[in-house]
Amino acid sequence: QVQLMESGGGSVQSGGSLRLSCATSGTTYTTYSMAWFRQAPGKEREGVAVIHSGGLTTYADSVKGRFAISQDNAKNTMFLQMNNLRPEDTAMYYCAATVGRRLYYSWRMGDEYDVWGQGTQVNISS
């Protein structure tokens, strides 16, 4: 059983930075995809970035060049470094993971993930 727990959300001004963490506990798998999603009030859930076992990463166009996804396998933790934040980045951010599969082509489909965290709120003021 895998469990995910996000941390690092908060409130910053436009142009600021935040670093989100997603700590993994439980069974460790060598094949997976781990992603960050976000959902703002009244909007659909959006895939932000994904990292696959092996290190390949993909980003949504809206965050390319501003956000960076990474992982520390020794600490079983995934990160999302968010720079040059904008008010439109305001949302609840969730991490999600697959177990034993990689989602190279369907990483944006939230229903494909096996495990979700509880979310961490990010608020960006102008």
Side-chain angles (χ1 to χ4, degrees), residues 10-74:
S11 299
V12 298
Q13 289 188 327
S14 181
S17 298
L18 285 172
R19 189 192 196 203
L20 304 184
S21 299
C22 175
T24 302
S25 60
T27 305
T28 301
Y29 293 87
T30 57
T31 302
Y32 58 83
S33 293
M34 291 191 72
W36 288 98
F37 286 78
R38 65 186 181 186
Q39 188 165 22
K43 294 189 177 181
E44 292 187 356
R45 182 174 57 194
E46 175 190 19
V48 175
V50 65
I51 187 165
H52 308 285
S53 53
L56 182 68
T57 61
T58 306
Y59 297 89
D61 288 344
S62 58
V63 305
K64 278 181 183 176
R66 301 189 298 124
F67 291 11
I69 190 171
S70 62
Q71 59 187 1
D72 184 334
N73 290 330

Side-chain angles (χ1 to χ4, degrees), residues 78-89:
M78 177 179 66
F79 303 100
L80 185 68
Q81 178 66 45
M82 305 187 295
N83 300 324
N84 192 20
L85 283 160
R86 305 166 179 169
E88 54 264 37
D89 295 318

